[in-house]
Amino acid sequence: MKLAILGATGSIGTQGLEVVEDLRGIKEIEVVGISGNKNLKLLEEQIRRFHVPFAAVPEEADAKALATAVADTDCKVLSGKEGLCYLAAETGADMLLSAIVGFSGMLPTLKAIEAGIDIALANKETLVTAGPIFMDAVEKYGVRLLPVDSEHSAIFQSLHAGERKELSKILLTASGGPFYGKTREELEAVTLAQALKHPNWSMGAKITIDSATLMNKGLEVIEAKWLFDVEIEDIEVVVQRESIIHSMVEFCDHSVIAQLGLPSMKHPIQYAFTYPERLPAKGERISFSDLGRISFGKPDEDTFRCLALAKEAGSMGGIMPTVLNAANEVAVGAFLQEKIRFLEIAEYVEKTMDRFENIQAPTIEDLLKADRAVRELGI
Ligand code: NAD
Ligand code: MG
């Protein structure tokens, strides 16, 4: 298999490359393209380690610096939006691991679908923003859209136990994040450092904050709606504190099927790479007798408003999920720079959603325009 990776230097991207190495001798994966942003040293190391023929970075100056650094290799370095799109769609890949964080991953991922390339999707913001357009393109170009998000991989795997018409609901699990059980008063004072300390997962900064606000779960509800063609009301978020049950599905006979494992993204990444096969994995396996217990709870949507807002945007459809996502990216960016407080993230998202008239059945231009308009508003 030939693989291109958008966001190769990030948490998902680097684990994707580890899976490529883990699978050597079992399934050969050739890495034909990688992209990153500012981490040029790591990109250079990856280009050399995997003999990658194409690399892309957003900024022209960074592309020049990287090209100089790898001048002794056969790697061609591209830049800008066009560079990312070329990397995703035209480097001969059979599969794209879409692992850029945020909206910037949308166009290159769509280009890859249009080029008939299967997608291993980590970049949930793309599906939240442009769900109907993506799903139409997936059907039109006959590609596979394989979920890398652990919950969606679990749902995808659990769905194999029955027919689609037999499904009654999806049980989307959530760890609850670092602030589970806290009141609004307690959340007033939380710091950036506390929000960046996730109890179970080690991830990029943006998704770690999204996990603390429960926006991540809200984005995942919308992601599940599109991936599995279900209504928002048929997706129940269940807190599962230890992140061992990655999600479940309930069938019409009330049978519940779950997928379990240690909290490692290498499992869903590997399954997307090897699907429909299962191949031996490296690393630790789960020991239930050592684990002892698995605990459950309910999300508190009054305190963690982002989950409720995302469900609302998901039900409204049109440009609202795009507005929600862009407002959240702006707010999380400001929180990461310590310009706003934790609870202001949800307040800003809600205020921004109120400012926009919805447009039903939007075109890709409508979505790009709505995304830009939110970012121009700033905070
Ligand atoms: P990360 O911040 O660790 O990595 C992001 C990658 O995107 C980096 O390679 C970075 O260079 C690149 N990038 C960032 N901004 C860019 C831009 N403007 N243009 C081009 N490239 C850019 O993030 P991550 O944790 O790996 O998450 C990536 C995606 O996967 C997100 O959508 C996230 O929601 C999703 N996801 C992550 C995890 C996880 O465990 N990390 C789990 C499920 C889903
Ligand atoms: Mg997830």
Side-chain angles (χ1 to χ4, degrees):
M1 180 178 81
K2 291 187 169 148
L3 176 74
I5 306 181
L6 288 175
T9 56
S11 162
I12 294 291
T14 50
Q15 292 181 84
L17 287 170
E18 281 174 31
V19 171
V20 169
E21 282 176 329
D22 289 352
L23 286 172
R24 281 210 182 121
I26 307 172
K27 179 182 174 90
E28 295 312 316
I29 300 178
E30 193 185 327
V31 184
V32 293
I34 56 176
S35 88
N37 192 6
K38 290 287 167 197
N39 200 339
L40 303 185
K41 263 260 137 303
L42 180 55
L43 266 181
E44 177 186 345
E45 190 205 297
Q46 293 176 338
I47 290 167
R48 293 184 187 282
R49 186 150 58 104
F50 293 89
H51 308 287
V52 187
F54 289 95
V57 285
E59 302 293 333
E60 180 73 47
D62 292 333
K64 282 207 175 112
L66 183 61
T68 308
V70 298
D72 61 315
T73 72
D74 293 328
C75 182
K76 192 163 180 320
V77 181
L78 313 159
S79 71
K81 272 200 190 105
E82 305 71 35
L84 281 186
C85 289
Y86 185 93
L87 186 103
E90 293 177 61
T91 48
D94 307 299
M95 175 173 274
L96 172 72
L97 173 59
S98 175
I100 283 183
V101 58
F103 183 78
S104 339
M106 189 186 73
L107 278 181
T109 308
L110 194 56
K111 287 278 178 249
I113 296 174
E114 289 169 2
I117 296 167
D118 288 337
I119 309 292
L121 186 78
N123 181 204
K124 64 191 88 182
E125 294 91 345
T126 60
L127 207 51
V128 166
T129 298
I133 292 172
F134 259 69
M135 298 319 288
D136 284 353
V138 162
E139 191 163 326
K140 180 168 170 199
Y141 296 95
V143 304
R144 279 183 177 144
L145 181 58
L146 296 159
V148 165
D149 215 347
S150 55
E151 295 77 1
H152 303 74
S153 176
I155 296 162
F156 180 64
Q157 295 180 54
S158 302
L159 281 172
H160 294 157
E163 297 287 328
R164 278 311 308 273
K165 62 176 190 315
E166 295 161 351
L167 175 69
S168 60
K169 71 173 173 182
I170 284 176
L171 298 153
L172 185 72
T173 54
S175 71
F179 303 141
Y180 179 66
K182 287 209 186 302
T183 61
R184 274 191 77 81
E185 290 67 46
E186 287 169 322
L187 290 179
E188 288 286 353
V190 297
T191 62
L192 174 61
Q194 287 169 322
L196 282 171
K197 246 197 204 110
H198 196 281
N200 306 335
W201 298 96
S202 157
M203 311 179 282
K206 193 255 176 186
I207 182 174
T208 305
I209 301 304
D210 286 348
S211 299
T213 61
L214 292 202
M215 179 59 92
N216 183 50
K217 217 38 64 180
L219 299 177
E220 290 184 357
V221 168
I222 304 177
E223 184 185 11
K225 170 187 159 79
W226 294 119
L227 278 174
F228 306 113
D229 191 20
V230 290
E231 296 303 322
I232 299 282
E233 305 77 66
D234 297 328
I235 305 166
E236 180 185 339
V237 175
V238 181
V239 173
Q240 199 287 281
R241 285 298 280 158
E242 298 82 7
S243 302
I244 293 296
I245 299 181
H246 297 310
S247 276
M248 309 179 262
V249 300
E250 187 192 281
F251 289 103
C252 55
D253 61 355
H254 301 183
S255 231
V256 175
I257 308 287
Q259 187 263 334
L260 288 76
L262 290 174
S264 161
M265 290 307 295
K266 282 172 76 170
H267 172 79
I269 295 171
Q270 174 165 324
Y271 190 62
F273 286 178
T274 66
Y275 178 82
E277 279 184 292
R278 286 187 186 275
L279 296 178
K282 293 227 166 99
E284 272 183 280
R285 54 187 68 192
I286 196 164
S287 160
F288 287 99
S289 42
D290 289 341
L291 182 69
R293 54 178 280 154
I294 301 180
S295 45
F296 299 94
K298 251 193 188 150
D300 173 359
E301 293 188 25
D302 296 327
T303 305
F304 296 88
R305 289 279 303 139
C306 286
L307 175 56
L309 291 169
K311 283 185 183 172
E312 195 183 314
S315 297
M316 291 170 80
I319 60 164
M320 271 308 150
T322 309
V323 172
L324 168 102
N325 178 66
N328 183 57
E329 286 190 27
V330 170
V332 173
F335 179 70
L336 286 171
Q337 292 172 29
E338 299 188 89
K339 289 187 179 152
I340 63 170
R341 284 172 299 118
F342 184 75
L343 287 175
E344 287 177 304
I345 298 174
E347 284 166 22
Y348 175 74
V349 171
E350 184 159 23
K351 200 175 72 191
T352 309
M353 282 170 69
D354 286 343
R355 290 176 75 156
F356 281 77
E357 263 320 310
N358 203 7
I359 303 174
Q360 286 301 339
T363 61
I364 191 96
E365 285 71 32
D366 292 329
L367 299 178
L368 293 168
K369 209 169 130 197
D371 177 82
R372 215 169 29 239
V374 173
R375 287 170 208 273
E376 278 166 9
L377 278 176
I379 203 143

